[in-house]
Amino acid sequence: MSVKWGLIGASTIARQFMINAIRARGDGEIVAVMSADPERATAFAREHGIPHGVSTLDALLGAGIDAVYISTTNELHLEQALAAIDAGKHVLCEKPLALTSADARRMVTAAKAAGVVLGTNHHLRNAGAHRAMRTAIAGGRIGRPIAARVFHAVYLPEHLQGWRITRPDAGGGAVLDITVHDADTLRFVLNEDPVEVSAFTQSAGMASGQGLEDGAMCLWRFGSGLIAQSHEGFTTKYAGTGFEVHGTEGSLIATGVMTQKPVGSVLLRTAKGEEELAFDREDLYTRSVRKFHAALAGQGRPAATGEDGVWSLASAEAALLSAKSGRAVSIDAELGSAQ
């Protein structure tokens, strides 16, 4: 089965990653791309050999497609996803699914009612490094996990700054851009949901006022008693990224793994010494599309489901509320809100 895709958003991430990922296995083709700017849509289509460049959602949804990939600014996701679902199209949407977890839950409910697949493009779940860590933990190789640390403060390149640092109405800021990823990656690797978060946010010089943050530090508590910390940001040029999980019988220390590329290393340290774990280096986005295509064929689920997108957004909402209120905030994705 060949899946015919429409791209909602002539975006950098589509250009750099998703177009190649859709075409990588030969079972996907891109029929149309939509941008609100007709000239941008036409130029993007021409640049990437896409048959149709259109400027309205109706035109895209009427172009004979099976699925859409949404990579517009965050405030547009809800309306665009609901329109695609209503038209019977499967949806793979960038994170965050919407501006609120309640709206993200609306997307999940609508997709179930329509019988279409909804996936969240949490690319880090598809990294071989994170899957190797999840497998090692599940196999008891570090004993009982008791603590974790995520290092995901980076420098946002100039060509990506724009709305992320200037537009609260579009869902800008480091929390909705990066903390959602870290919350999801913690859930995935630890195979456990966070129940509470305490957070501090900052504006360290990149975000241009209007209450937007360009950095955050979060402390997460899980039901098992495990605690985790995460550092997200747009302003640290030389920090590097990493992910550590420490257990009663060992530690996993991953370096350079909070990235869009299949790179980095994972070290297992126990009483026996140190062992570097091998993991596959498949492109993260190619795996995401492969899993999504399989789900369309009734074989499993997307790498990250719509429900996973609700969880990550509810976690980010709780972090923002914690930073604003100065208190720890409970997370309840089932209710679609922070408590």
Side-chain angles (χ1 to χ4, degrees), residues 211-236:
L212 280 181
E213 77 289 342
D214 53 27
M217 283 194 177
C218 303
L219 182 64
W220 308 87
R221 183 171 63 83
F222 291 76
S224 66
L226 181 147
I227 55 175
Q229 65 185 78
S230 65
H231 179 201
E232 298 86 23
F234 292 154
T235 62
T236 52

Side-chain angles (χ1 to χ4, degrees), residues 72-190:
T72 48
T73 51
N74 297 335
E75 85 283 10
L76 300 176
H77 292 179
L78 175 67
E79 180 182 353
Q80 292 168 340
L82 291 179
I85 290 167
D86 188 58
K89 312 304 180 186
H90 305 288
V91 175
L92 180 59
C93 186
E94 275 302 324
K95 56 76 210 167
L97 285 184
L99 294 186
T100 69
S101 55
D103 280 345
R105 176 64 64 186
R106 286 178 59 194
M107 293 163 63
V108 170
T109 301
K112 286 184 177 179
V116 300
V117 174
L118 171 64
T120 309
N121 205 31
H122 274 307
H123 63 275
L124 290 170
R125 283 176 170 244
N126 293 291
H130 295 136
R131 288 183 284 116
M133 294 175 75
R134 176 182 167 101
T135 298
I137 292 168
R141 300 197 69 185
I142 64 168
R144 177 173 58 86
I146 56 177
R149 297 193 293 179
V150 175
F151 310 96
H152 199 174
V154 297
Y155 188 79
L156 188 67
E158 187 174 351
H159 72 279
L160 291 180
Q161 292 176 14
W163 64 271
R164 288 177 174 84
I165 58 169
T166 60
R167 290 187 56 196
D169 61 303
V175 171
L176 287 183
D177 199 63
I178 305 181
T179 305
V180 284
H181 277 314
D182 293 349
D184 182 73
T185 308
L186 282 163
R187 283 187 72 232
F188 175 73
V189 170
L190 298 170

